[in-house]
């Protein structure tokens, strides 16, 4: 495990998966149909339990103010701060590795109780799984 620091908060817009985990691929496809891939944009998977159900959001960084509204998407903010994290190389070879990584991260003490499980897709092979720590 490692500490990843988000120096600045990141505003993202998202597509909510209709179910977890089955709806995840469709949510990502829907997001990428809305916005073309840009190397300058960060892409995420964001999840947490809400009202007893895990809600998953396929998300992209808002790189122009008001972009979410123009695309008729909801937005949220990934807070700046320290995140406990694990990086997975070639994540497509074993997608279950993402779930296993979050199970390990969720055992770490001092997690932000209002935080999200965040998948930060660094490229098409590498993903960083992370959870924000309490300040």
């Amino acid at each position: 495990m490692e500490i990843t620091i988000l120096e600045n908060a990141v505003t993202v817009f998202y597509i909510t998966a209709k179910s977890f985990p089955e709806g995840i691929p469709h949510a990502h496809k829907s997001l990428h149909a809305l916005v073309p891939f840009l190397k300058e944009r960060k892409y995420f998977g964001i999840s947490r339990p809400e009202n007893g159900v895990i809600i998953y959001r396929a998300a992209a960084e808002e790189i122009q103010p008001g972009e979410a509204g123009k695309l008729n998407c909801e937005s949220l903010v990934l807070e700046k701060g320290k995140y406990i994290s694990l990086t997975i190389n070639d994540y497509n070879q074993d997608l279950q590795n993402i779930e296993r990584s979050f199970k390990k991260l969720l055992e770490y003490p001092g997690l932000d109780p209002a935080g999200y499980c965040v998948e930060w897709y660094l490229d098409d092979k590498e993903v960083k799984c992370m959870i924000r720590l309490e300040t």
Side-chain angles (χ1 to χ4, degrees), residues 8-29:
N8 299 300
V10 179
T11 300
V12 300
F13 56 90
Y14 59 86
I15 302 291
T16 303
K18 294 187 188 300
S19 61
F20 179 85
E22 302 80 12
I24 292 173
H26 186 263
H28 280 283
K29 285 179 188 170

Side-chain angles (χ1 to χ4, degrees), residues 5-129:
I5 297 175
L6 280 184
E7 297 288 343
N8 299 300
V10 179
T11 300
V12 300
F13 56 90
Y14 59 86
I15 302 291
T16 303
K18 294 187 188 300
S19 61
F20 179 85
E22 302 80 12
I24 292 173
H26 186 263
H28 280 283
K29 285 179 188 170
S30 298
L31 175 70
H32 292 293
L34 270 182
V35 290
F37 176 80
L38 295 173
K39 288 189 179 215
E40 299 81 20
R41 189 187 305 269
K42 296 177 181 89
Y43 296 91
F44 302 95
I46 302 169
S47 61
R48 73 174 174 194
E50 296 178 17
N51 299 316
V53 177
I54 295 177
I55 303 298
Y56 185 93
R57 297 166 175 94
E61 177 185 27
E62 188 177 73
I63 56 176
Q64 297 174 359
E67 194 173 14
K70 291 175 188 171
L71 294 170
N72 294 317
C73 289
E74 294 183 69
S75 64
L76 61 82
V77 175
L78 295 175
E79 298 295 335
K80 70 179 182 177
K82 291 182 181 179
Y83 288 72
I84 188 70
S85 63
L86 287 168
T87 302
I88 302 170
N89 297 306
D90 291 322
Y91 66 87
N92 277 316
Q93 297 299 318
D94 181 8
L95 292 174
Q96 295 299 313
N97 204 4
I98 294 173
E99 179 184 357
R100 287 190 295 273
S101 294
F102 278 115
K103 283 185 179 180
K104 288 179 190 173
L105 293 171
L106 286 166
E107 294 175 5
Y108 196 83
L111 300 175
D112 179 351
Y116 293 95
C117 290
V118 179
E119 301 156 19
W120 180 358
Y121 291 91
L122 304 172
D123 56 35
D124 63 348
K125 292 185 178 176
E126 192 172 48
V127 64
K128 186 177 292 245
C129 300

